[in-house]
Amino acid sequence: MIVLLTNDDGIFAPALQRLKRELAPFGRVVIVAPDRDQSATSHSLTLHRPFRIHTHATDTYSVDGTPTDCVVTAYYGLLDGSPDLVISGINHGPNMGEDVFYSGTVAAAIEGTLQGAPSIAASLVTRELTDFADPARFIARLTRHVLDHGLPRRQLLNVNMPHRPWQDVRGVQITRLGSRVYRDTLIKKVDPRGRDYYWIGGEDPVWEAQPGTDFHAVSEGSVSVTPMRLDLTDEGALAGLKTWNLET
């Protein structure tokens, strides 16, 4: 089995090597990760310039591109076989609620799903320094369950783990995506030459703590596992839209 391990924090993110050791019993683990931080790149592809691949060690590569580039590269030419499983993470920070639409971590797992492989996006809900040991062990256990039970076609798992001693983690909850109150702002500044520049920033996210959501689970100290499907069609809206008589 070929396990593709990627992320959006970059090739030097400490979680990669931790997770690689934990996933080694499943087969050949290949790291293909961006050569730098690619957070919030979503599902973007590098189309308007060439990019380069650097070999760091056996089965360890960095790509001058996005997390999605990394997965596509692994499937179409870099490796001598297609990955059977894609693990993206462990992200150093949360990927919950609507933020999954911005996340490079989640996008890489989505690309793995599009390629037909069971895929997991994993995040640790902290910005603090940590060794990722216990979170990596949990992802390995979850991987075993995925391999044993399988995932439905075009479904992936989005995992968020609380940052606390593992003995204090209050179990695992199967959740839905939550919702957050956006308070991002466009900050305008002036450079030394008198030219305006802008920075998208703002306060830390404020989440609606609705029971059953990923944020609620993590805030209670539990691991959140959210099944996500790639079909975004609102089935309930189809019948109503057909009554609009859009051809007239």
Side-chain angles (χ1 to χ4, degrees):
M1 172 177 288
I2 299 177
V3 180
L4 174 61
L5 179 54
T6 189
N7 68 4
D8 73 358
D9 287 332
I11 189 67
F12 299 111
L16 278 178
Q17 293 301 325
R18 275 288 188 185
L19 196 48
K20 182 177 181 178
R21 288 195 290 271
E22 295 296 333
L23 295 173
F26 299 110
R28 175 187 172 195
V29 181
V30 182
I31 293 176
V32 186
D35 66 353
R36 69 200 74 179
D37 190 334
Q38 291 282 347
S39 298
T41 54
S42 188
H43 208 117
S44 58
L45 282 167
T46 301
L47 298 178
H48 302 294
R49 65 169 178 86
F51 60 82
R52 300 185 185 276
I53 301 171
H54 180 71
T55 303
H56 294 260
T58 302
D59 284 341
T60 303
Y61 307 91
S62 65
V63 175
D64 174 22
T66 68
T68 303
D69 291 332
C70 294
V71 178
V72 171
T73 299
Y75 273 93
Y76 295 101
L78 178 61
L79 306 183
D80 53 7
S82 295
D84 303 289
L85 179 74
V86 176
I87 309 293
S88 181
I90 299 169
N91 190 64
H92 204 164
N95 280 303
M96 301 185 290
E98 295 96 341
D99 282 355
V100 300
F101 291 103
Y102 303 102
S103 168
T105 302
V106 176
I110 289 174
E111 185 61 35
T113 304
L114 288 172
Q115 299 298 335
S119 302
I120 300 171
S123 302
L124 182 63
V125 183
T126 186
R127 306 290 184 187
E128 298 176 16
L129 292 176
T130 182
D131 64 5
F132 291 95
D134 288 319
R137 281 191 282 269
F138 174 78
I139 295 302
R141 292 198 300 273
L142 177 62
T143 298
R144 170 51 60 197
H145 284 287
V146 168
L147 294 175
D148 288 345
H149 299 283
L151 290 177
R153 182 175 175 272
R154 300 176 71 80
Q155 184 190 93
L156 63 142
L157 299 181
N158 184 44
V159 182
N160 283 273
M161 295 168 280
H163 184 229
R164 56 172 58 193
W166 203 255
Q167 63 269 22
D168 296 334
V169 172
R170 301 175 61 184
V172 180
Q173 294 187 34
I174 308 303
T175 58
R176 66 181 187 276
L177 293 176
S179 184
R180 79 175 173 99
V181 179
Y182 285 87
R183 296 182 179 177
D184 293 337
T185 56
L186 186 65
I187 300 169
K188 177 181 178 182
K189 292 185 177 293
V190 180
D191 70 17
R193 296 177 183 240
R195 296 174 299 189
D196 294 340
Y197 69 95
Y198 299 87
W199 188 271
I200 295 177
E203 303 174 9
D204 288 338
V206 177
W207 297 90
E208 296 180 0
Q210 295 293 327
T213 63
D214 44 13
F215 172 74
H216 188 264
V218 170
S219 67
E220 288 191 331
S222 299
V223 175
S224 162
V225 177
T226 304
M228 294 174 51
R229 62 180 180 179
L230 300 190
D231 185 355
L232 299 180
T233 305
D234 185 347
E235 299 287 346
L238 293 176
L241 285 175
K242 289 176 180 177
T243 67
W244 287 17
N245 296 320
L246 296 176
E247 296 181 3
T248 61

